[in-house]
Amino acid sequence: MSLPYKIVSFMEGRVQVKSDFFKYICVSEAGIESYIKSHFSGVISVKVSKKTGRVTVEYDPASFDVKEFFSFLASITSETVLDMLSQWDKENGNEQKEEETGEAKRRFILNSLAMGFGISKILPVNALSALTLALAMPVFKKAYNSLKQKKIDVYFLDSSAIAILALRGTPISSLLMVWLLSLGDYIEEMTQGSAHKAIRELLDYKNEEAWLVKNGSVERVSVELLEKGDKVVVYTGEKITVDGVVYDGEGLVNQASLTGESNPVLKKKGDKVYAGTYLEDGKLYVIAEKVGDETALAKIVKIIEESAAEQLQLQEKAEELANKAVIPTLALASYAALTGNLERATATLIVDYHTGIHVSTPVAVMSHMAYAAKKGILFKSGRYLEIMHKVDTVVFDKTGTLTIGHPTITEVVPLKVSEEEVIQIAATLEQRLTHPVAKAVVAYAKERNIELLKREDSQYYMGLGVEAKINGVTYYIGSSKFMEHKGIKIPQRIMKFREEMHKKGESVLYLVRGKVIIGLIGFTDPPRKESKFIVETLHSLGREVILCTGDNEGAAALIAQKLGIKKYYARAFPDEKARIIKELKKQGKVVAFLGDGVNDSPALSVADVGISIRSGADIAIEVADVVINESLCNLVEAFEISDLAMRNIEENYKINTIANTLGLVGSFFGFINPVVATLINNGTTILIGLNALKPMWKKKFREIEKIEQQCEMFAY
């Protein structure tokens, strides 16, 4: 594809380009910088801003090929993005992170020492003023950068106040302001560090395994045992666990986790595949080129960490209003200065609404995300805390979410062959599939010590069934929808069997040889112990609950009635689930969808918030925006935590607005001097910053404790 970009500036030795592509690709700034440096000779430095989408390259004109650089931009593909991820040196990225992480702490320590010098009066006033101005350089730099972008914001106000106070010979007031600003940065850094650690620990929830091809057989092994050159096979719905090249087979690979592509990509012999992507359909045999920490998958934790600090809509609106107050504040300060009262002018400049919002919001988001992580809930981005709070409709898949996800085979009806043959053929077709019903059929055969046969040319139809050859004969197993899809007629006699099974609440699988139905398999999937309680609790929280399942009308109605769900959709297959959610969104509803299977991925993708259970299929976990523990009680906790987070943020905004308005009025009319104005403005920032840390120091919340106590009776 041709990358849409524009040249911001181009001169000998320096080029700057801008593209939204750099904002949204899942490669970090350090990853892009590393890639450009390693692929182009003559590069002196690279600066990347994902916030603005700008890439600035300083180069040696004698050795840098400008034409080649623009050709690169014109030919970027999703594979280029994956290559960036795969080649980026993780250790360098971590070192950079550690370096950045310690910066605020170092500044705070230096400012604290300077405060000690100021209070003890060890240094003369002039020396202390010079020290204050030196320590305020990070603030001055931010103000300078804002002015370069033709913005007058809070950093300009802070810089002006610090400079005036220091130059007027009142360095203690100036130093106090610098110290409080550094304290706010340090608190934010500590909170984000705790949240990142919790997220890292949570993301290590699954020991990955792969199917290793060895000496003509296939065995399940830990990915830690894989080496470069090993051959692995990947089946439908599974995660690809190595970076490598396809040497046999073909399939549709979902690369959204790494490239953001909405559509799966066809991979065949000779194509590259990457760890962390998913096989939606087909079967791939892959030779491993990179394993473990060398793969693109090893970069996922960092990507999630970066997205966690994404600005909320609420924050954007509040910061926009705060920035609009900057000009009136400057006008008031200028008026006070014209009257000859520099103290009033300085005190007025010190007060701003932006700092408190800017510091407390990411702290609140990260602390609540960390709190959620300790409860086993992963929010993949801070903005999903905000969206979860707004959700008014929760759509549930049935199998594995409202039900235990371990269907029980309740009945086998042989029609043209023996009961043992029905079980043997059905289990052979279903082997190695991750769907709960497939697992139940295979387990049923194993319980009866029935040996499975070899299958060939197997093909999985998502949400419908399986087709394969056994001893050269074509067999099918699946739902009535699958029969319709394959043009297989269901005789009246078999329909009567089916209706009787439906009346008992059973779902039915059809086993077909050629075009003839040779057996029926009935199964049920009982509700989870906590499902009814969860539905009732969501109703009490003002959220509508809807059931959306691929099961027949009888099974869907029965489970809905048992759980107290008023609205349900039966025979809703993958595309239909997605269509239903789109329709609900058109009605103005904010929709969360909870599912755990391969066939849930389309619905998870289109929902405002996609939620998956940790024990679900890999692709469902990857596509989901929020991942919860095995118990559905975690779902209610996720809603409660999002509500707590938004209440905390709104509370902080109110405190910030009231305190700073009083400070601004008091400063302008001369009731408050610069020292008190500094204490009010920065003290408020620290106060709401500490309040934003509430999940870290409070530990227990009444709402969460109540859920946990009620859920103890449902412990498995």
Side-chain angles (χ1 to χ4, degrees):
M1 71 178 183
S2 179
L3 174 69
Y5 71 92
K6 69 175 183 178
I7 300 170
V8 179
S9 66
F10 184 25
M11 61 186 75
E12 189 175 39
R14 186 179 182 276
V15 61
Q16 185 180 84
V17 295
K18 181 180 180 181
S19 173
D20 284 345
F21 175 85
F22 294 115
K23 289 184 185 179
Y24 303 122
I25 63 169
C26 60
V27 184
S28 69
E29 291 178 353
I32 299 169
E33 289 168 8
S34 175
Y35 186 87
I36 292 174
K37 283 179 181 177
S38 64
H39 281 70
F40 297 95
S41 58
V43 175
I44 297 169
S45 69
V46 182
K47 290 182 181 177
V48 178
S49 170
K50 290 195 73 173
K51 188 174 181 180
T52 61
R54 296 185 183 216
V55 175
T56 306
V57 179
E58 292 184 356
Y59 60 88
D60 177 4
S63 54
F64 182 79
D65 190 334
V66 177
K67 187 182 285 188
E68 184 189 354
F69 178 69
F70 287 126
S71 295
F72 160 74
L73 294 177
S75 60
I76 282 181
T77 65
S78 59
E79 299 297 325
T80 311
V81 178
L82 295 177
D83 198 27
M84 286 182 191
L85 275 167
S86 186
Q87 292 188 21
W88 178 44
D89 183 359
K90 186 183 177 189
E91 288 184 9
N92 290 341
N94 286 342
E95 285 168 10
Q96 182 191 29
K97 186 75 180 175
E98 286 165 12
E99 185 183 330
E100 290 170 358
T101 301
E103 186 60 32
K105 182 179 180 180
R106 283 193 291 273
R107 286 206 309 270
F108 175 66
I109 292 170
L110 285 172
N111 282 306
S112 298
L113 289 171
M115 277 296 293
F117 291 147
I119 293 168
S120 61
K121 298 182 179 179
I122 294 173
L123 295 175
V125 172
N126 289 341
L128 195 58
S129 294
L131 178 60
T132 302
L133 291 172
L135 291 171
M137 284 308 294
V139 184
F140 295 150
K141 187 177 179 181
K142 288 176 182 176
Y144 174 69
N145 289 334
S146 295
L147 289 172
K148 277 205 307 184
Q149 295 174 29
K150 298 179 181 178
K151 287 195 303 184
I152 296 176
D153 56 18
V154 63
Y155 301 122
F156 181 78
L157 292 181
D158 289 341
S159 298
S160 301
I162 290 167
I164 291 170
L165 286 168
L167 295 173
R168 283 188 66 220
T170 54
I172 292 293
S173 300
S174 181
L175 192 55
L176 177 61
M177 188 173 178
V178 175
W179 180 80
L180 287 168
L181 285 171
S182 68
L183 176 59
D185 290 341
Y186 181 40
I187 289 171
E188 182 182 0
E189 185 183 82
M190 284 193 300
T191 310
Q192 290 190 1
S194 299
H196 286 319
K197 183 181 177 184
I199 289 169
R200 271 200 180 99
E201 288 172 356
L202 183 66
L203 283 173
D204 193 28
Y205 60 79
K206 219 168 191 178
N207 291 320
E208 302 292 351
E209 292 185 333
W211 293 102
L212 177 65
V213 180
K214 200 170 183 179
N215 300 324
S217 63
V218 177
E219 61 177 304
R220 194 79 163 159
V221 300
S222 168
V223 293
E224 293 178 352
L225 301 177
L226 293 177
E227 297 177 355
K228 185 177 178 179
D230 280 345
K231 295 178 178 179
V232 298
V233 59
V234 187
Y235 298 98
T236 296
E238 292 185 337
K239 179 189 283 186
I240 298 170
T241 54
V242 298
D243 287 1
V245 176
V246 177
Y247 72 90
D248 195 11
E250 64 177 41
L252 291 172
V253 175
N254 186 323
Q255 301 185 145
S257 59
L258 299 181
T259 68
E261 292 169 287
S262 58
N263 296 318
V265 179
L266 178 65
K267 298 286 184 177
K268 53 187 184 301
K269 187 174 180 178
D271 289 340
K272 278 192 173 187
V273 292
Y274 294 87
T277 58
Y278 296 83
L279 184 61
E280 285 197 353
D281 197 8
K283 183 163 61 176
L284 296 175
Y285 290 88
V286 181
I287 298 175
E289 290 186 333
K290 293 184 179 180
V291 297
D293 288 343
E294 297 175 346
T295 67
L297 179 61
K299 298 9 174 222
I300 295 295
V301 171
K302 184 172 177 65
I303 292 162
I304 292 176
E305 287 178 334
E306 288 176 348
S307 68
E310 218 172 278
Q311 271 205 342
L312 309 184
Q313 283 185 0
L314 185 63
Q315 181 184 356
E316 286 175 358
K317 288 177 182 176
E319 287 193 358
E320 188 180 339
L321 288 172
N323 283 327
K324 283 180 179 177
V326 170
I327 299 299
T329 302
L330 275 174
L332 290 173
S334 299
Y335 177 80
L338 289 172
T339 64
N341 194 328
L342 274 179
E343 188 169 274
R344 276 174 58 199
T346 307
T348 305
L349 280 173
I350 288 168
V351 178
D352 76 84
Y353 296 90
H354 180 275
T355 305
I357 296 167
H358 185 69
V359 170
S360 68
T361 308
V363 170
V365 169
M366 295 300 285
S367 63
H368 283 85
M369 284 180 71
Y371 179 73
K374 287 175 183 175
K375 297 289 181 185
I377 304 164
L378 171 64
F379 285 91
K380 292 187 181 178
S381 170
R383 70 190 183 93
Y384 293 118
L385 274 172
E386 185 176 31
I387 299 171
M388 281 280 282
H389 174 67
K390 296 176 180 176
V391 165
D392 53 29
T393 305
V394 184
V395 180
F396 282 89
D397 172 52
K398 181 180 80 73
T399 305
T401 49
L402 287 171
T403 62
I404 61 173
H406 306 297
T408 304
I409 304 302
T410 50
E411 190 173 357
V412 177
V413 181
L415 297 171
K416 299 284 183 178
V417 295
S418 68
E419 182 176 321
E420 184 172 320
E421 281 181 281
V422 171
I423 299 166
Q424 184 182 47
I425 294 166
T428 298
L429 294 171
E430 298 277 25
Q431 64 183 312
R432 298 196 192 112
L433 293 178
T434 56
H435 194 281
V437 176
K439 289 180 178 178
V441 173
V442 174
Y444 192 76
K446 285 183 178 177
E447 285 169 13
R448 284 153 184 75
N449 297 315
I450 296 173
E451 187 178 346
L452 303 190
L453 305 171
K454 285 188 177 182
R455 67 176 187 185
E456 300 168 338
D457 302 330
S458 63
Q459 188 173 359
Y460 173 63
Y461 295 81
M462 194 163 70
L464 296 173
V466 182
E467 172 186 351
K469 287 183 179 178
I470 301 174
N471 296 325
V473 179
T474 300
Y475 289 88
Y476 306 92
I477 186 168
S479 62
S480 57
K481 199 92 171 179
F482 190 41
M483 299 300 102
E484 184 183 322
H485 179 71
K486 286 294 178 181
I488 297 166
K489 291 183 180 179
I490 303 173
Q492 197 67 35
R493 182 173 67 93
I494 294 176
M495 283 187 184
K496 287 181 181 178
F497 281 123
R498 181 187 68 187
E499 293 310 315
E500 287 300 315
M501 295 167 84
H502 282 179
K503 284 177 185 177
K504 291 183 277 187
E506 293 177 346
S507 295
V508 179
L509 287 176
Y510 299 82
L511 180 64
V512 179
R513 180 171 61 200
K515 290 288 183 180
V516 179
I517 298 171
I518 60 172
L520 303 177
I521 297 175
F523 64 92
T524 58
D525 188 10
R528 290 170 177 262
K529 295 176 186 178
E530 73 271 24
S531 290
K532 186 174 176 61
F533 165 72
I534 295 302
V535 171
E536 289 172 351
T537 305
L538 288 172
H539 282 153
S540 70
L541 291 173
R543 269 105 182 180
E544 182 186 8
V545 176
I546 296 173
L547 172 64
C548 202
T549 176
D551 283 341
N552 63 74
E553 179 73 22
L558 193 63
I559 193 86
Q561 185 181 11
K562 280 183 181 178
L563 301 180
I565 298 173
K566 296 175 183 176
K567 191 173 183 179
Y568 67 87
Y569 294 89
R571 299 198 182 282
F573 293 94
D575 291 344
E576 180 66 11
K577 288 179 186 178
R579 188 197 64 76
I580 290 165
I581 289 171
K582 285 178 182 176
E583 189 58 40
L584 290 168
K585 287 170 71 175
K586 279 182 184 176
Q587 295 170 18
K589 296 182 183 295
V590 182
V591 184
F593 177 81
L594 179 68
D596 74 333
V598 174
N599 60 344
D600 293 323
S601 55
L604 286 165
S605 297
V606 300
D608 291 296
V609 181
I611 307 167
S612 180
I613 295 172
R614 189 186 296 182
S615 60
D618 285 337
I619 191 168
I621 291 170
E622 182 58 33
V623 171
D625 307 307
V626 180
V627 181
I628 64 173
N629 259 335
E630 181 65 26
S631 171
L632 283 181
C633 292
N634 239 189
L635 174 66
V636 179
E637 287 181 316
F639 276 111
E640 288 286 12
I641 290 168
S642 70
D643 291 345
L644 285 169
M646 291 306 109
R647 281 203 296 271
N648 180 275
I649 290 168
E650 287 169 359
E651 182 180 68
N652 290 337
Y653 289 178
K654 285 176 184 175
I655 294 170
N656 184 67
T657 302
I658 292 168
N660 283 299
T661 300
L662 290 173
L664 186 63
V665 172
S667 297
F668 179 70
F669 287 106
F671 302 130
I672 293 174
N673 63 31
V675 174
V676 177
T678 301
L679 287 171
I680 289 173
N681 183 58
N682 294 288
T684 302
T685 298
I686 291 172
L687 175 66
I688 63 178
L690 291 171
N691 189 49
L693 279 168
K694 194 182 285 183
M696 296 297 189
W697 51 262
K698 189 172 180 180
K699 303 294 183 184
K700 293 181 180 180
F701 290 89
R702 181 176 51 82
E703 298 90 341
I704 304 298
E705 276 196 311
K706 184 180 176 183
I707 295 164
E708 289 176 347
Q709 287 167 4
Q710 290 173 314
C711 283
E712 280 178 6
M713 68 182 81
F714 304 120
Y716 286 92

